[in-house]
Every structure is written in structure tokens, then in C-alpha cells.
Amino acid sequence: MSKKPPTDWAEIADAYCAGSLSNRQIAKQFGIAESTLRKHIASEGWEKTGAQKVRTTTPKVRTTAHQRPVAQKRSSPVIAEAAPEDLEERLLCLAGRMTEELEHSTAHLDEIIETISDETADDKSPRRQAEMMKAVSHSMRANILKTIAQTVALLGGKAGAKKGKKELQKDEAEKASSGRFAPMTQPKLVVNNGR
């Protein structure tokens, strides 16, 4: 059985300090474990004088299919410029206009559907007709109205005066816990040592 020749740590240190090879490459070249090499580097304080980092592969860079320039986030002009009272008025006006539009389109919905059917009769694909039907959909507009009503309520408008179920239950619990059913307090201990 042949003995392994002694490791020449001075030569390994020179190779490491030159900075042209990675730790893995140095370990492979001198026939030592990479972990052993790292221990010697740490204990003896070797530093690379050449290139500080040796890469054996190129780094992977993730790119999107369509890179868009990063736009700076701007604050919403409605919220930034308008006071809550003004914003509430504007939202209520918008809700009123949308309600009128819904009423008008509902009154003539059959005519609108018939016009869409006539317009898209010669189309090979039903996609255009589906998109046009979606545009006159009442559920989408109703959801927008619902969102506006919730926003007005959050701003403390007319709908904001109404309390929710949890708030009403909390008020009822506080009312019930006062008076006769109030939690008992500990009695005061009165000590009169003077008499």
C-alpha cells in the first residue's frame, strides 16, 4: 500500500492567494477535501490578492418576456387633492350617474342584445359577441356601485351612520353589563385602628 505524499500547504496557499482558481478547483488539483481547504483558509487567514471571486459558471439572470420601465408610484389625484367631504360628494354623484345609466340600459336591454346579435351574426368566432355582452353586463356595474357605496361608508357618509352587527352587539353587551348586571367589584377593607 502506497503512502499519500505529504500535502504542500505553502504551494496551496500560493495558489489560493493568486486568486485565479476557485476553492473547488484548488482542492481537486492538490487532492484534498474542499472542507479541509476552507478550514486552513480560515485558521491561517489567507487572502486572495488577485481576483476576489472566481466564477466557474455564469450567473442566471431572470428576465421577463416584456420588460417595462419601472414607473414611479404616484398618489391618487382624487385622494391627494380632495378633502374627504369633497370626495364623498363626488362619489355620491358618480353613484347617481351610474344608477341612471343602469336604469336606462335595463329599460332597453332587449334592444341592446338584439343589436349585438345582429352586429356579430357574420363573425366566425363568438369572442366579439361575448365581449360586447360582457360590456353591457349588469353584474359588473352593480359591483362598481357596491364598491362606491362601501367607500362612501368608510368615509363616514350617510351610510356610515349605520352600525354593523358586531358594533351593535358590542353596544348591547356594554349596556347589559351596566347597572344591576355590572361585574362585582371587590369590597373595600376599612380598618379603623383609632377607636
Side-chain angles (χ1 to χ4, degrees), residues 115-126:
T115 305
I116 291 173
S117 297
D118 291 343
E119 182 67 30
T120 58
D122 297 334
D123 290 353
K124 292 179 182 176
S125 173

Side-chain angles (χ1 to χ4, degrees), residues 2-3 94 115 121 131 138 152 164 177 180 182 185 191:
S2 65
K3 279 191 163 185
L94 180 62
T115 305
E131 290 299 319
H138 295 302
V152 170
S177 68
R180 182 173 153 191
T185 59
V191 179

Side-chain angles (χ1 to χ4, degrees), residues 82-149:
E85 298 83 23
D86 183 41
L87 183 60
E88 184 180 334
E89 281 181 33
R90 293 171 64 186
L91 286 172
L92 287 173
C93 289
L94 180 62
R97 288 194 307 262
M98 286 187 70
T99 304
E100 288 175 12
E101 182 184 333
L102 271 173
E103 288 173 351
H104 183 70
S105 65
T106 304
H108 302 286
L109 186 61
D110 293 334
E111 296 169 17
I112 294 171
I113 291 173
E114 188 177 322
T115 305
I116 291 173
S117 297
D118 291 343
E119 182 67 30
T120 58
D122 297 334
D123 290 353
K124 292 179 182 176
S125 173
R127 290 178 73 192
R128 188 169 82 129
Q129 181 179 10
E131 290 299 319
M132 292 174 86
M133 292 298 221
K134 186 178 177 183
V136 296
S137 167
H138 295 302
S139 62
M140 186 176 292
R141 292 183 182 155
N143 284 335
I144 292 171
L145 277 173
K146 182 180 176 183
T147 304
I148 290 173

Side-chain angles (χ1 to χ4, degrees), residues 74 84 104 107 128 155 184:
R74 289 183 276 162
H104 183 70
R128 188 169 82 129
L155 291 173
M184 293 181 62

Side-chain angles (χ1 to χ4, degrees), residues 32 132 163:
I32 58 172
M132 292 174 86
K163 291 186 177 182

Side-chain angles (χ1 to χ4, degrees), residues 29-82:
Q29 180 180 346
F30 290 98
I32 58 172
E34 188 180 353
S35 59
T36 307
L37 175 64
R38 277 191 255 121
K39 287 177 186 173
H40 272 274
I41 292 169
S43 67
E44 297 179 18
W46 295 346
E47 290 185 16
K48 289 186 178 187
T49 55
Q52 289 297 320
K53 211 169 192 184
V54 177
R55 285 193 182 256
T56 56
T57 60
T58 57
K60 294 181 181 178
V61 179
R62 291 186 180 191
T63 57
T64 56
H66 302 286
Q67 289 186 343
R68 294 180 287 176
V70 178
Q72 291 186 358
K73 192 173 182 180
R74 289 183 276 162
S75 60
S76 174
V78 174
I79 295 174
E81 297 173 5

